Amino acid sequence: MPTQLERRTATTTALLDATEAVLHERGYAATTTAAVCERAGVSQGGLFRHFPTRRALLVAAAVRVAERQTHDVPAGLDLLEGLRHLRAAVRSPANVVWHELVHAARTDEELRRDLAPALRTYHRRTRAAVASLRPAGHPWTETHQTALRIVVTYLDGEAAVAHVLPDPDRDEATLRALADLVRPLLEQP
Amino acid sequence: MPTQLERRTATTTALLDATEAVLHERGYAATTTAAVCERAGVSQGGLFRHFPTRRALLVAAAVRVAERQTHDVPAGLDLLEGLRHLRAAVRSPANVVWHELVHAARTDEELRRDLAPALRTYHRRTRAAVASLRPAGHPWTETHQTALRIVVTYLDGEAAVAHVLPDPDRDEATLRALADLVRPLLEQP
DNA sequence: TACCTTCGATAGCGGTCACTCGCTAACTTT
DNA sequence: AAAGTTAGCGAGTGACCGCTATCGAAGGTA
């Protein structure tokens, strides 16, 4: 016999898991409360006991995704390995969910406002992930920052395209070219 | 007294103009047939005399955008000027509309299918725009192709971010860094 | 045990969506 | 000028949206 708290967290977790899954599979507009509830195995009324509005549910999912992605950034990789890891992170379902929400925020002022804290968390994550690409002990210059902003933005843009038009044959070659492109900047003092 | 054909093209043009405007301002999901009709000054029933479904209207708008962007790619620019022009094109309202539709296509199979021809046109446009970045008379190698794919994808991804989180202070610096990054590759034989 | 609170299910409400239908008016053909 | 075709209108239609009111079941407290 579970406690009330256990019941509560179990259903909210199920709802957030379902929200992520539906966002990933069907996109923002088709992520209806009914679809989420069906997937979570919760009745439609049950959702609104834990989240006052649909938007609150989506923002909670965004916060959870951003915080989860903050963790597990491995260190000590060389440049190419680091890029590979970064690309995988950026193409992960979690990042698709994230883009789905950020994209919707462009034309939804209230969503954009509620998403702002999670957006800051996301930026912290990308900076941390990117920091692991430079050998430890070396100082960071303005040039490095800019080069790495380019890398991250490129990979993020590439991921968006890859989800509509995948091109696995060229993936590895492009990544090597990217590494060659930024290596001089990263390894200079 | 206009002919039937003139009347027809006038209203379809008004509808497509309105579709672009609403897509740009309110996004894909909020681009309802009612909103488009109101903006175009056409009754709701009138729309369906020219476009059998909402999707057909959106695809027609996409085709028109992609074809329009194919034109006016100036030649003879140096690298930095070329990048500036490319970034402006990629940040234009037309490209926002384009991204709005491509993004929606990720989770809408029928839209993705109908959008495929326009997507090929779009790729032709980006290749043409990017070809102007290399001095005329120089042959194109595989390395150049890959480097320029990176440039275009980066700028496209940057544009997507810029619409949610603009950062004009760093825009110019980032563009110069990008030019420095790819210049060695472009100017080598 | 008796009482209270919270959770989750069900039915349904008001609103909006894409799309249809019946119609008038305008253009085209004969 | 008569007949036929097409453009455009706007009130509907059923489906589905986010959300709420109500209620039985289960957990917590005395």
Side-chain angles (χ1 to χ4, degrees), chain A residues 78-99:
Chain A
D78 72 13
L79 179 59
L80 190 57
E81 287 172 340
L83 286 181
R84 237 191 294 271
H85 181 271
L86 194 55
R87 174 191 264 169
V90 122
R91 286 192 183 180
S92 68
N95 216 52
V96 173
V97 167
W98 178 251
H99 269 99

Side-chain angles (χ1 to χ4, degrees), chain B residues 4 7-8 11 42-43 45 49-50:
Chain B
Q4 300 252 57
R7 284 190 5 171
R8 185 179 185 84
T11 60
V42 174
S43 69
R49 171 93 36 201
H50 306 287

Side-chain angles (χ1 to χ4, degrees), chain A residues 1-4 32-33 44 48 53-54:
Chain A
M1 44 182 126
T3 68
Q4 301 251 58
T32 63
T33 55
Q44 297 209 29
F48 291 94
T53 63
R54 171 186 185 253

